[in-house]
Amino acid sequence: MASADRHLPREYPERHPPPLTLLQKVGHFLLVLGGWVLFIWMWSLVVSRPWDSGPLVLLLVLSIIAAPLITLLWIFHNMGIYKRKGPRKGMREVKPVYDVDWTGREVTADWDALSRSRVIVIEIDEFGKNYRVASTR
């Protein structure tokens, strides 16, 4: 069993949402159609107004130059990393140590017991964070 699968409860079957009804499908279609009508109407308002094309042309020219230039720089950056380090041979090993949470609180837990538990209680106080198995009655 994969390590990610052992944390999934076996009692619960995979749930799929029920299929949409005809009314829901029609509602979705009308919502999308309304969005497109609103989009086209707003653009017609923009196009019908008098406007100065100078800044727009400048924006287009700069974006036509900047977007490929940034992409090429990113490609060269990645090629440099590849030349220095070589091809990837796998994922970096990450040690599953969780002694301190992201706020700096000390974490205490019996991870083996928690992995078998259905209910976990997390208590936070001024000393740290404590994970424990909930007592089920």
Side-chain angles (χ1 to χ4, degrees):
M1 183 183 298
S3 63
D5 293 340
R6 69 185 165 124
H7 297 293
L8 297 175
R10 293 178 176 260
E11 299 83 29
Y12 304 113
E14 187 176 337
R15 295 187 179 144
H16 296 285
L20 297 177
T21 65
L22 180 62
L23 184 62
Q24 288 172 323
K25 289 179 183 178
V26 169
H28 286 183
F29 175 77
L30 291 175
L31 199 64
V32 170
L33 182 65
W36 277 107
V37 167
L38 185 65
F39 176 78
I40 292 168
W41 176 63
M42 288 297 192
W43 268 111
S44 71
L45 291 177
V46 169
V47 170
S48 67
R49 304 272 193 258
W51 47 283
D52 180 17
S53 64
L56 180 61
V57 169
L58 182 64
L59 175 68
L60 289 173
V61 169
L62 288 177
S63 64
I64 287 171
I65 294 170
L69 182 64
I70 291 170
T71 303
L72 280 175
L73 290 173
W74 186 252
I75 290 170
F76 290 140
H77 167 72
N78 285 330
M79 288 171 61
I81 292 172
Y82 181 81
K83 285 178 184 174
R84 274 194 323 272
K85 293 185 171 185
R88 290 185 183 179
K89 295 182 174 60
M91 300 290 289
R92 282 190 281 160
E93 183 177 332
V94 178
K95 295 177 182 172
V97 177
Y98 187 58
D99 295 332
V100 179
D101 73 355
W102 66 275
T103 62
R105 290 187 196 102
E106 184 178 340
V107 175
T108 56
D110 180 1
W111 298 113
D112 289 330
L114 292 172
S115 69
R116 294 184 302 274
S117 176
R118 292 179 60 133
V119 180
I120 298 171
V121 175
I122 304 170
E123 298 168 328
I124 299 174
D125 57 22
E126 65 271 6
F127 304 111
K129 188 184 285 188
N130 182 29
Y131 290 75
R132 65 177 176 81
V133 175
S135 59
T136 56
R137 296 177 193 200

